[in-house]
Amino acid sequence: MGTHQAVGDEPVSRIERKRGRRIQEILTAAAELFGERGYAAVSLEDVAERLDVTKGSLYYYFASKDALGTAAIETLGNEWTSRLENLPAARAGSPADRLRALLREHTTIAVREYPAALGLFLVPREWPQDQKERIKELRGRHDGLFRRVVEEGVATGEFRVTDVGTVLQCMHASMSQAPVWCEGLGGTALDEAIDRLADTLMMLVVREP
Amino acid sequence: MGTHQAVGDEPVSRIERKRGRRIQEILTAAAELFGERGYAAVSLEDVAERLDVTKGSLYYYFASKDALGTAAIETLGNEWTSRLENLPAARAGSPADRLRALLREHTTIAVREYPAALGLFLVPREWPQDQKERIKELRGRHDGLFRRVVEEGVATGEFRVTDVGTVLQCMHASMSQAPVWCEGLGGTALDEAIDRLADTLMMLVVREP
Amino acid sequence: MGTHQAVGDEPVSRIERKRGRRIQEILTAAAELFGERGYAAVSLEDVAERLDVTKGSLYYYFASKDALGTAAIETLGNEWTSRLENLPAARAGSPADRLRALLREHTTIAVREYPAALGLFLVPREWPQDQKERIKELRGRHDGLFRRVVEEGVATGEFRVTDVGTVLQCMHASMSQAPVWCEGLGGTALDEAIDRLADTLMMLVVREP
Amino acid sequence: MGTHQAVGDEPVSRIERKRGRRIQEILTAAAELFGERGYAAVSLEDVAERLDVTKGSLYYYFASKDALGTAAIETLGNEWTSRLENLPAARAGSPADRLRALLREHTTIAVREYPAALGLFLVPREWPQDQKERIKELRGRHDGLFRRVVEEGVATGEFRVTDVGTVLQCMHASMSQAPVWCEGLGGTALDEAIDRLADTLMMLVVREP
DNA sequence: TATGAATGAGGCTTCATTCAT
DNA sequence: CATGAATGAAGCCTCATTCAT
């Protein structure tokens, strides 16, 4: 049975496109749920219910819960990174402007669209060993984005940092927790909170006049 | 009978002291495991095994897994906070010195002694509602320690911050992730990593000359 | 998904009819066992074994042991009452004839078909509170059958009773114990025992010439 | 260790008398609880708690829960029977008067003092096989009391019955359920209910003028 | 493809029982 | 005698997984 390639590269036939779309739906639902409650606390029944299908159907697309989990993270990570990569404000301007844009966008996505899914990257503790590797890879690519900007700022003398790696870790950790702090906030208050976070994190690369 | 009071005030008789000690053993083991893998991913079997007893025995001391979880967090949080409160270097000197001392000690405890337990405070997502309240309380007391120093520094003009609340959140989030980054580090490398983290986080309150 | 509605109104599709049949099988087995040994003394393992399935399967149809218990009683009670309601001999003739017919049929069902299940109605002591209400309702409907005949007999002067309610209670209690006395009896002896019981209970409404 | 004779004949030494008294306390508590909730639903913890001792202590007096159960029933049955045997009104007068006195007293004990314990005799279904035998014996002796009076009444022509055995069964069954009907009744209402029951059951031996 | 059904392992919890002190 | 502690089997329940249709 031609099953379980899951996240293939390019769907070709109409039927495969449909399959690809279905997979995306599943992954989206799964990512949301895993993010909301954590991997262990989500059952396939939960995922199936959100999609209005039966548990069994999921196995047509994914070989196991673990496989679904891995793929969900992967999809999520890729989409996220792509959005940051394609953010216009992050591609031009001074390193400071670009970094702030990245920080704001990243936090906004976290808080607005995947209010919980960020925990997935942050807390690989509860994931099976297999997935941990995958997650680290994804984070690598993700971090690369920020790293390039920071290093460029350092190179141009615009930034001054204690240690690039540590700074990036702090940024990531802080943004990942944003959905938790911001729980319950909305509208303007939320925007302001995001701004405050970005401003605060910019302090980590600050170069005083 | 005399079961399930768990975290009583002060044990009196010899027998009660013994009981208290046993409870502490259990709580330590539980806190470690919950911290390592998350609440949902830890079974009572796991806890029991680490203590080399049978599952059933745990129920002699705790009425349920939830009760054990709550107590584990509570104990851990209290001990942690106490240690920070009693840290000599955190009680005298300039706000900057005291803050750095707190940051280093907090991170050291996290990395060295409870390499995993910090996640408990950080990720309340997956905890039953009951516990969430408790965790928030504990964090409040914990955060208060840092907050006082930061606010004092701001008052004296020694610190300059974007926003006290946000700064504290970032500090906490960052330190909580330290055990994950530091996984595998040891000896001098570990000390240096902790130093780097403290230095980096000090940037958040920096007052330029 | 389509789980746990258990005792729906009328099955429609073929698949739902099949589900309904399965549910009935389970309920029958459960009612028998609960009746034989009492609610608390029966494990789902017992029920499953009698059906030659695994414990877990039962949860596909019933959300809990309590739910199964409630449904078992409900089904049993309804079926029982229906059979009495539709008994030809209980719908025509003098009250005395009809009452004796009811007594005999009721006892026969108890002894022959649900040799044990009667205890379910009789001993609500050990049932969770929820079920107690349900049981009382069922008994109400059930008792109504007998009550109508007795009251009619009293109205026509054919019967003379001390107190209708008390008489009904005695009848019910006595018939419910019949399976216990009759344990081991068979064939003619059993028929005679049932006759004797009916005759004896008729004494409770006797009107002397 | 000289344990587990449990219900010995005559205690001799002071120490054995004390032991005997303790045993009686335990048996009383146990009988009450078993009667209230049924054998399976009562834990030794429950029994111990009512006596304000620890579970373990019970094993000094009884070898097992089953042994305790058997002994509890035995004690209860014996006491009950003795009280009926010694009832003045049941030892003199016409069979009718004596029978009515027995019925009333029996029901009164059931409802007033052991509001639930009667079920123990009535529903041996849920008891381990061992106990069933014992219970049947006890019931035999118990029934003998009623039987003698009924048979005497029949012999003198004062009573007319369909069948002595059946009549006795009905009486017993009906009285055993009394605590259930009477649940919630009190004072005069309770007395009246008991009277009604006795009057109703007297119908079973009625000899019309 | 999808579903309804079933399975079996594992998790939480209770409880009769044992035993050192 | 009595207790505190521990055990292990058994019970309820969940859930990932499989499979016939």
Side-chain angles (χ1 to χ4, degrees):
Chain A
M1 6 131 197
T3 330
H4 297 153
Q5 292 85 4
V7 195
D9 278 42
E10 63 249 78
V12 260
S13 72
R14 180 152 43 86
I15 210 146
E16 287 197 15
R17 269 202 305 283
K18 191 174 170 193
R19 179 179 174 82
R21 247 179 284 128
R22 198 89 188 88
I23 286 179
Q24 280 312 313
E25 284 172 30
I26 295 174
L27 288 176
T28 302
E32 280 172 22
L33 285 167
F34 288 146
E36 274 168 35
R37 307 182 206 158
Y39 182 71
V42 170
S43 74
L44 288 193
E45 181 66 43
D46 295 333
V47 178
E49 195 179 349
R50 179 165 295 202
L51 290 162
D52 215 35
V53 286
T54 46
K55 245 187 316 185
S57 307
L58 299 180
Y59 281 84
Y60 188 74
Y61 298 99
F62 297 95
S64 68
K65 188 188 177 186
D66 274 13
L68 173 57
T70 305
I73 280 200
E74 197 138 1
T75 302
L76 188 56
N78 284 331
E79 192 196 325
W80 202 309
T81 309
S82 297
R83 287 180 60 174
L84 293 183
E85 283 171 347
N86 296 322
L87 188 68
R91 315 183 72 156
S94 72
D97 289 343
R98 285 154 59 203
L99 181 56
R100 175 175 274 114
L102 281 177
L103 291 173
R104 295 202 70 248
E105 181 69 4
H106 186 283
T107 310
T108 302
I109 295 176
V111 169
R112 283 242 149 80
E113 295 177 56
Y114 304 107
L118 243 182
L120 293 178
F121 298 89
L122 198 52
V123 194
R125 257 172 296 130
E126 66 175 75
W127 286 81
Q129 189 56 42
D130 275 14
Q131 274 90 325
K132 281 197 188 179
E133 306 306 321
R134 212 60 104 100
I135 296 180
K136 283 197 175 165
E137 261 178 64
L138 280 170
R139 266 208 59 179
R141 187 174 147 222
H142 194 117
D143 276 356
L145 264 177
F146 288 83
R147 178 179 292 270
R148 272 192 293 282
V149 181
V150 170
E151 285 177 341
E152 190 184 322
V154 170
T156 65
E158 196 174 346
F159 292 165
R160 190 197 57 187
V161 299
T162 51
D163 173 75
V164 175
T166 306
V167 163
L168 289 174
Q169 296 279 19
C170 290
M171 285 178 170
H172 210 85
S174 300
M175 291 188 296
S176 299
Q177 280 309 106
V180 176
W181 322 332
C182 297
E183 209 170 49
L185 263 55
T188 319
L190 188 54
D191 278 328
E192 288 171 5
I194 293 174
D195 272 333
R196 273 200 305 276
L197 179 56
D199 288 342
T200 301
L201 292 178
M202 287 303 289
M203 298 287 288
L204 295 175
V205 296
V206 85
R207 160 116 208 98
E208 276 315 297
Chain B
M1 287 295 286
T3 326
H4 295 157
Q5 292 85 3
V7 195
D9 278 43
E10 66 254 69
V12 263
S13 72
R14 180 159 44 88
I15 212 134
E16 288 197 15
R17 270 200 305 281
K18 192 171 170 191
R19 180 180 174 82
R21 245 179 287 130
R22 196 86 185 88
I23 287 179
Q24 281 311 316
E25 284 172 32
I26 296 174
L27 288 177
T28 303
E32 280 172 22
L33 285 166
F34 287 146
E36 271 168 38
R37 307 181 207 159
Y39 182 71
V42 169
S43 75
L44 290 192
E45 180 65 44
D46 296 333
V47 179
E49 194 180 351
R50 177 165 297 203
L51 291 162
D52 214 36
V53 279
T54 44
K55 241 182 328 180
S57 307
L58 300 180
Y59 282 86
Y60 189 70
Y61 298 98
F62 297 95
S64 66
K65 188 188 178 186
D66 273 16
L68 174 56
T70 304
I73 282 199
E74 196 137 1
T75 303
L76 187 55
N78 284 331
E79 193 197 325
W80 201 309
T81 309
S82 297
R83 287 180 60 174
L84 293 183
E85 282 172 348
N86 295 323
L87 188 69
R91 315 184 72 156
S94 73
D97 289 343
R98 285 156 58 204
L99 181 56
R100 176 176 274 110
L102 281 177
L103 292 173
R104 294 201 74 248
E105 179 72 3
H106 185 284
T107 310
T108 302
I109 294 176
V111 169
R112 282 243 148 78
E113 296 178 56
Y114 303 109
L118 245 181
L120 293 177
F121 299 87
L122 201 53
V123 193
R125 247 176 312 132
E126 63 177 73
W127 286 80
Q129 188 56 42
D130 272 17
Q131 273 90 326
K132 282 198 186 179
E133 307 303 322
R134 211 52 107 127
I135 296 181
K136 284 196 175 166
E137 259 180 65
L138 281 170
R139 267 210 56 179
R141 188 175 147 221
H142 195 114
D143 277 356
L145 266 176
F146 289 82
R147 178 179 291 272
R148 271 191 294 282
V149 181
V150 171
E151 284 176 343
E152 190 184 320
V154 170
T156 65
E158 196 174 344
F159 292 165
R160 189 196 57 185
V161 298
T162 50
D163 173 73
V164 174
T166 307
V167 163
L168 290 173
Q169 297 278 18
C170 290
M171 286 177 169
H172 210 86
S174 300
M175 292 188 295
S176 299
Q177 281 308 108
V180 176
W181 320 333
C182 298
E183 211 169 47
L185 264 55
T188 319
L190 188 54
D191 278 328
E192 288 171 5
I194 293 173
D195 272 332
R196 273 200 306 278
L197 178 56
D199 289 341
T200 301
L201 291 177
M202 286 303 288
M203 298 286 287
L204 295 174
V205 296
V206 84
R207 162 121 206 94
E208 278 314 297
Chain C
M1 287 294 286
T3 327
H4 296 156
Q5 291 85 2
V7 194
D9 278 42
E10 65 250 74
V12 262
S13 72
R14 180 158 44 86
I15 212 135
E16 289 198 13
R17 270 201 304 282
K18 192 171 170 191
R19 181 180 174 83
R21 247 179 286 129
R22 197 85 185 88
I23 286 179
Q24 281 311 315
E25 285 172 30
I26 296 174
L27 288 176
T28 302
E32 281 172 20
L33 285 167
F34 287 146
E36 270 169 39
R37 307 183 207 157
Y39 182 71
V42 170
S43 75
L44 291 193
E45 180 66 43
D46 295 334
V47 179
E49 195 178 352
R50 178 164 297 202
L51 290 161
D52 214 35
V53 278
T54 44
K55 240 183 325 183
S57 306
L58 300 180
Y59 284 86
Y60 189 70
Y61 298 98
F62 297 94
S64 66
K65 188 188 177 186
D66 273 15
L68 173 57
T70 303
I73 282 199
E74 195 137 2
T75 303
L76 187 56
N78 284 331
E79 192 195 325
W80 201 309
T81 309
S82 296
R83 287 180 59 174
L84 293 183
E85 283 171 348
N86 295 322
L87 188 69
R91 315 184 72 157
S94 71
D97 290 342
R98 285 155 59 203
L99 181 57
R100 175 174 275 114
L102 282 177
L103 292 173
R104 296 202 71 247
E105 181 71 3
H106 185 284
T107 310
T108 302
I109 294 176
V111 169
R112 282 242 148 79
E113 296 177 56
Y114 304 108
L118 245 181
L120 293 178
F121 300 87
L122 202 52
V123 193
R125 247 176 313 131
E126 63 176 74
W127 285 81
Q129 188 56 42
D130 271 19
Q131 274 90 324
K132 282 199 188 179
E133 307 305 320
R134 213 47 108 131
I135 296 181
K136 284 198 175 164
E137 258 179 68
L138 281 170
R139 265 209 60 178
R141 188 175 146 220
H142 195 115
D143 277 356
L145 266 176
F146 289 82
R147 178 178 292 273
R148 271 192 294 282
V149 181
V150 171
E151 284 176 343
E152 190 184 320
V154 171
T156 64
E158 196 175 343
F159 291 165
R160 190 195 57 187
V161 299
T162 51
D163 173 73
V164 175
T166 306
V167 163
L168 291 173
Q169 296 278 20
C170 291
M171 286 176 169
H172 211 86
S174 301
M175 291 187 296
S176 301
Q177 281 308 107
V180 176
W181 322 331
C182 298
E183 211 168 47
L185 265 54
T188 319
L190 188 54
D191 278 328
E192 286 170 5
I194 294 174
D195 273 331
R196 273 200 304 277
L197 178 56
D199 289 340
T200 301
L201 292 177
M202 285 303 288
M203 298 286 287
L204 295 174
V205 296
V206 84
R207 161 119 207 98
E208 278 312 299
Chain D
M1 9 138 192
T3 331
H4 297 154
Q5 293 84 6
V7 194
D9 277 41
E10 64 250 76
V12 260
S13 73
R14 183 152 40 85
I15 210 146
E16 288 198 13
R17 269 202 305 282
K18 191 174 170 193
R19 179 178 173 82
R21 247 179 286 126
R22 198 90 187 87
I23 287 180
Q24 279 312 312
E25 283 172 32
I26 296 173
L27 289 176
T28 302
E32 279 173 22
L33 284 167
F34 287 146
E36 272 167 37
R37 308 181 205 157
Y39 181 71
V42 170
S43 76
L44 287 194
E45 182 65 44
D46 295 333
V47 179
E49 195 178 349
R50 178 164 296 200
L51 290 162
D52 215 35
V53 285
T54 47
K55 245 187 318 185
S57 308
L58 299 180
Y59 281 85
Y60 188 73
Y61 298 99
F62 297 95
S64 68
K65 188 188 177 186
D66 273 13
L68 174 57
T70 305
I73 280 200
E74 197 137 0
T75 302
L76 187 57
N78 283 331
E79 192 196 326
W80 200 309
T81 309
S82 297
R83 285 180 61 174
L84 293 183
E85 283 171 347
N86 296 323
L87 187 70
R91 315 184 72 157
S94 73
D97 290 342
R98 286 156 58 203
L99 180 57
R100 176 175 275 113
L102 281 177
L103 292 173
R104 296 204 70 248
E105 181 69 4
H106 186 283
T107 310
T108 302
I109 294 175
V111 169
R112 283 242 148 81
E113 296 176 55
Y114 304 107
L118 242 182
L120 294 177
F121 300 88
L122 197 54
V123 194
R125 259 170 295 128
E126 67 176 75
W127 287 82
Q129 188 57 42
D130 275 16
Q131 274 91 325
K132 282 198 188 179
E133 306 306 320
R134 212 60 103 101
I135 296 181
K136 283 197 175 167
E137 260 177 65
L138 280 169
R139 266 207 61 177
R141 186 173 148 222
H142 194 116
D143 276 357
L145 265 176
F146 289 81
R147 178 179 293 272
R148 272 190 294 282
V149 181
V150 171
E151 284 177 342
E152 191 185 319
V154 170
T156 64
E158 196 174 345
F159 292 164
R160 189 196 57 187
V161 299
T162 52
D163 173 75
V164 175
T166 307
V167 163
L168 290 173
Q169 297 278 19
C170 290
M171 285 177 170
H172 210 84
S174 300
M175 291 188 295
S176 300
Q177 281 308 106
V180 175
W181 319 333
C182 298
E183 208 169 48
L185 263 55
T188 320
L190 189 54
D191 278 329
E192 288 170 5
I194 293 173
D195 272 333
R196 271 200 306 277
L197 178 56
D199 288 341
T200 301
L201 292 178
M202 286 303 288
M203 297 287 286
L204 294 174
V205 296
V206 84
R207 160 120 206 95
E208 277 312 297

